[in-house]
Amino acid sequence: MSSITIGRSALLAFSCLLATSALGQDADPQAIVDAQFALAGNQKGVRASGAKGICVTGTFTPTAEAPSLSKAPHFAKTVPVTARFSMGGSNAKISDKVKPVTRGFAMRMTDPSGDLVLVIISAPVFSTKTPKQLLDFATVRMPGPDGKPDADKIKAFSAANPETTKQAAWLNARPVPASFAGVDYWGVHAYTLTNAKNEAKVVKLKTVATAGQLGLTDDELKAKPDSFYADELKERLAKGPASFDLVAIPGEAGDPTTDATAMWPNEESRKSVKLGTLAIAAIEPNATCDAATFDPVVDLPDGIAGPTDDPMFAIRSPAYAVSLSRRSAQQ
Ligand code: HEM
């Protein structure tokens, strides 16, 4: 191991400790990421989550209304986007046919002043509300000596932590998406948008697929191979860009802003504001997306901020850094 590697690891361990204590976190990001990797047998050179994915490029074009909500330069003109669609979890060989797994959409809108990164999923809620609960959620699902997790332990954990069952219930109630471009994605956390007059609004962010919700019937699903999203996207993009509306769902007094497992009351029927259109135009070599991490905490410009009081938000930055460091060292 070179001294550079030792230096980087030590720095990372130190920054994890700092992040854990300074943010009042109840679990160490390194321990969580270790558990995430262990769940799929510690595959090498892959992400701790979103291990199987496809890198793409496109543009984001804001609406005329967007600057009235956010002063971020990305909401004032068309900007380039590098993005990645993925399957949740650290198994790079996961079948695209699995239902209770979120599809992911990580995007980096670039501007000379800095990036705007959103990393969002195909469910309106996350699986856990605290980092410690995420660690326990992963630990209880760890395969035993027979290669299988203990179903009774999972049952007991779910009964004691009912909010951790909401995401899977939501996904199980819907068909498997036929396309990465045929499903909506949610930011899950409560974001604050601030305009040039320094007027702030709490919102949830969502991308709405222009193609609509393209779900597979059971028969269609049976006929699919385990990997079909990459080819489907290539074919789709050969005919033209795949687009999504980025919308802001307005917050109301009393909405929970600290619990990523909770939807807001009537969230689905609130009148959202369209911030712009994401147009995904081309497949990009995976290396472009793999060289860095999409950090949804650090890479936010003035005009858009994540929640300060949601324990699941801030910890994402050190966790993603641990994963990047490990997968980069293994390549
Ligand atoms: C405690 C909270 C969380 C932890 C510890 C965590 C951990 C991670 C890690 C370690 C990675 C791999 C990063 C990399 O190697 O570049 C990752 C990727 C990802 N996470 Fe999370 N995550 C958390 C919360 C969330 C939430 C709330 C969402 C969605 C709203 C989310 C969606 C994703 C997606 C879509 C990816 C794939 C990113 C890509 O394609 O590069 N995560 N997560």
Side-chain angles (χ1 to χ4, degrees), residues 145-183:
D146 61 352
K148 290 186 193 142
D150 183 330
D152 290 339
K153 272 196 199 160
I154 296 178
K155 216 171 158 189
F157 179 82
S158 298
N161 300 270
E163 63 279 5
T164 63
T165 62
K166 287 196 229 164
Q167 186 188 77
W170 200 91
L171 294 166
N172 277 325
R174 287 160 179 81
V176 167
S179 168
F180 277 137
V183 67

Side-chain angles (χ1 to χ4, degrees), residues 47 49 84 119 126 293-294 312 315-316 319-320 323 327:
R47 288 164 171 75
S49 186
R84 187 170 178 272
V119 182
F126 198 63
T293 190
F294 291 87
M312 293 299 288
I315 199 174
R316 292 177 70 181
Y320 289 31
S323 171
R327 64 183 165 87

